[in-house]
Amino acid sequence: MMNGTEAPLGHIAPRNQPPSLLACIACRKRHLKCNGQMPICKRCQDSRSECNYQQSRRGYKGPRKTAKGTVNDGSQANSNEDSGGDMLRDSTKKPTAASLADWTPATIPEMDFNMNEDAVFMRNYPDATTRSFNFLPETYHTTETTSSVGHLSTMGNGQHSELAVSFQNNAVNPTARTLPEPPRQSPEAPVDTLINLYYANFNSAHPFIIPRKLYRARPYLLPPHLKSVMRFVASHFMPGLSQDNLRGLAEGITAEDVSNDGYKVQGLMLFGMSLFARFEPEPALTVINQAIDLAVNLGMNSKTYATNHGMGTDVIEESWRRTWWDLFTIDGILASMNNVPHTFRLQDIQNDLLLPSEENDYAQCKIVPQLRSQNHFLDRTFSTEDYAYSSFAYKIEAVRLLGKVLSLDTDTLAAADEQVESLDTSLANFMISLPPDKRYVLERDGKCDEILFSAHNLIDSALILLHRPRSSLVFVQSHYPTPCTRQEAIGLPTSAYEVHTNKAIKAANSISKAIALRTPTSMHTPCFVCATVLAAIVHLPAYSMETSMDRAGAIKERLQLTVNALSSMGEVWPMARAAKGQISQFAREIFAGQARAAGHMQAQAQIQQIDIEAMMEDQTWLDELTSLAPGGNAMMLEGAEAGSMSMATSTTTPGIK
């Protein structure tokens, strides 16, 4: 019999609190209910037993969601999660001015960067899921605080430092603003497909955004306007996806109301590169120049910028250094192209930045504590120190040498022999001085080191730009108009024409070998399109000049490889498609010209054969010859007849010379 307080049979009383999603190891083994209290649950506390929790790979995602879309505590589920999947479903979402201007970086909670990537996600980081959001709603504002934001943040070397992050240009400031905790993310929030595509396909060639490992644990570290650009770049790797709306979102990075900080520089760099790769040179140059102006004004070429804006962690400081250095390389590469007028603006800008760390270390958030400067790198040959420089350091040096080649007088006749020979020596020293692990771009696991890949191809491009104008190749055709080639005057050689020709062809063959590595061409930087085109404008005239059928056949195979590589890259970047069409047209003209020349030679040979046969049939020349001999010289007559018979035999007996 039931008393008045008992519930009727079959009735389940409503829970006052949601059940705990955590259970200690002891309660799990005994299949007992655990209240999940930390550091010790109630059962273990009562039994005075040891209480341990196993770290969850997924992490706690907040109260369970009911069928009506509300959480158990009565709060509304957040619909503004930062999700590329959401962007795919509704790509018309526009960021508000407030969301772009008011975004500010949050401080980094304590995190052990020495863990491997799997361990990072086994650790319970609620912020990794609860502070992920797309664009801040207009009702979501920051709050002012009068005290500094003091937070211990683990750096790459295991030390801790006090953080005071300001919302004014990200500088350390006693008066800081902090974001309130946003609503918890819906458990059904889709995965950010486009951000994943960006890291998987583009980031390895230009790794200056924070590593994917850090982003996956702290996605709110990047502002919405930067993520919009990242998604637009990534959309090129998703065939069939409409890019119009994504581009509209990405263009927001150029707005004046976006905070002028390092994140805006990063977004402008990505947006400018994508416009160049889309064969939109004029707007691309405008965006890149905007990035250069802002970076210089912010003082990103000073090591103090990375220190003051690194949020107390070596990984983000490294990201700022890499941003400047990658902008330096982009600036130099664009200066070598001729589709828009651009000079290497950052070439003579002084900087005291340290060189970037190795790529694998950066990806794992492990920064070498004692990095070296560019001056150390330039003096490495005479140094007694055995220091391993990163692939990025060699790419920076390759662009510096490319800039030296570009700085030669545009009139190649005015360039001094000493300048040309000095640059040729510097380019040779680069390749000879490479340590064993930097001589080949493929790593032991078969993966391509994209930064080192770029460094090698930049040196080959510099060699072509240095030697082709001074070679005999220009006598076939001095200029091939493409999106990547510069029009140069024919220069006087510092050595024999053949020396410059051979060096240009050797550099072009090296680029062809890079294409033949059978690595995905879409993974390479879009700038590799221009290296491929430079190889083609060497092989095109070389094919016309070649007299050996075997060597001509090998050159034709390289041209086919070049066109196929451009076709493959053209599936992602429109500029490659345009270049492929132009190179294919030049090749068809050369092959047609060779066919006409071969036909002309065959026709000439046939005409000559006809003339000889006609002469043999007409013997009047023999009579005239004998009439000239006094007394009818019998010896001359016999000699002439013998010559006539010999000539007739040579024309009627094939295979006998």
Side-chain angles (χ1 to χ4, degrees), residues 328-603:
F328 174 85
T329 62
I330 294 171
D331 186 30
I333 293 171
L334 296 185
S336 67
M337 299 166 60
N338 192 49
N339 52 345
V340 289
H342 183 70
T343 58
F344 194 173
R345 297 179 55 191
L346 298 181
Q347 183 177 17
D348 299 323
I349 300 293
Q350 298 295 321
N351 73 82
D352 59 357
L353 290 177
L354 298 177
L355 293 173
S357 63
E358 196 57 84
E359 302 314 303
N360 291 333
D361 292 336
Y362 180 63
Q364 293 299 323
C365 300
K366 298 177 181 178
I367 310 302
V368 177
Q370 294 181 347
L371 299 173
R372 299 294 185 269
S373 67
Q374 190 175 23
N375 290 332
H376 285 105
F377 183 89
L378 296 176
D379 295 334
R380 67 191 183 283
T381 302
F382 306 104
S383 175
T384 58
E385 182 183 33
D386 187 16
Y387 182 82
Y389 289 94
S390 67
S391 298
F392 209 146
Y394 286 97
K395 181 180 179 180
I396 294 168
E397 174 64 5
V399 174
R400 188 188 72 86
L401 294 176
L402 175 64
K404 293 291 185 182
V405 173
L406 299 177
S407 65
L408 290 175
D409 197 300
T410 53
D411 182 3
T412 54
L413 295 174
D417 292 353
E418 293 78 9
Q419 291 177 292
V420 177
E421 292 174 356
S422 176
L423 282 172
D424 186 46
T425 302
S426 297
L427 294 169
N429 276 331
F430 179 94
M431 300 304 297
I432 293 174
S433 65
L434 288 173
D437 62 332
K438 300 299 181 187
R439 294 172 189 168
Y440 306 99
V441 300
L442 292 182
E443 300 174 348
R444 292 183 178 179
D445 59 358
K447 182 180 178 182
C448 180
D449 184 342
E450 291 295 338
I451 299 297
L452 190 61
F453 181 89
S454 296
H456 283 223
N457 288 293
L458 285 168
I459 291 297
D460 291 327
S461 299
L463 284 166
I464 292 174
L465 293 174
L466 180 66
H467 291 291
R468 187 184 182 280
R470 297 166 177 84
S471 70
S472 55
L473 299 170
V474 295
F475 296 119
V476 176
Q477 186 165 336
S478 61
H479 177 59
Y480 293 91
T482 72
C484 301
T485 49
R486 310 165 71 219
Q487 187 164 9
E488 297 175 323
I490 299 176
L492 292 176
T494 58
S495 303
Y497 280 113
E498 290 76 11
V499 173
H500 293 286
T501 302
N502 289 336
K503 289 185 176 182
I505 292 176
K506 184 177 180 180
N509 291 345
S510 179
I511 294 176
S512 296
K513 291 178 181 178
I515 300 173
L517 288 176
R518 298 180 66 182
T519 56
T521 54
S522 61
M523 297 286 291
H524 302 323
T525 170
C527 303
F528 184 58
V529 173
C530 288
T532 306
V533 170
L534 285 178
I537 66 171
V538 170
H539 287 141
L540 286 169
Y543 178 83
S544 298
M545 296 169 54
E546 188 54 63
T547 57
S548 168
M549 295 297 294
D550 291 338
R551 289 194 292 268
I555 295 174
K556 186 174 182 179
E557 289 293 334
R558 293 189 183 100
L559 282 170
Q560 290 177 341
L561 181 65
T562 297
V563 172
N564 288 330
L566 291 172
S567 178
S568 177
M569 288 184 281
E571 297 174 1
V572 179
W573 305 116
M575 183 175 71
R577 291 200 297 270
K580 181 245 183 182
Q582 292 169 320
I583 297 299
S584 297
Q585 178 63 30
F586 298 145
R588 286 193 296 269
E589 293 174 357
I590 287 179
F591 298 152
Q594 290 288 84
R596 287 194 298 270
H600 179 71
M601 292 178 62
Q602 184 177 4

Side-chain angles (χ1 to χ4, degrees), residues 307-320:
T307 303
N308 293 340
H309 301 78
M311 299 184 185
T313 174
D314 291 341
V315 180
I316 296 184
E317 289 183 19
E318 172 75 0
S319 174
W320 295 132

Side-chain angles (χ1 to χ4, degrees), residues 93-138:
K93 293 173 63 177
K94 294 283 186 178
T96 63
S99 69
L100 295 178
D102 292 344
W103 181 91
T104 53
T107 57
I108 302 179
E110 184 173 344
M111 177 176 176
D112 183 5
F113 288 107
N114 293 320
M115 292 190 295
N116 59 38
E117 188 164 359
D118 291 335
V120 168
F121 305 111
M122 290 182 66
R123 182 171 177 175
N124 185 8
Y125 285 120
D127 281 323
T129 55
T130 62
R131 296 205 59 176
S132 176
F133 52 92
N134 188 7
F135 300 116
L136 300 179
E138 294 183 354

Side-chain angles (χ1 to χ4, degrees), residues 14 52 55 65 98 126 129 153 186 200 210 240 304 330-331 351 453 536 583 598 628 633:
N52 295 314
Q55 292 176 339
K65 186 176 179 181
T129 55
S153 176
S186 169
I210 60 173
T304 57
I330 294 171
D331 186 30
N351 73 82
F453 181 89
I583 297 299
L628 294 176
N633 193 313

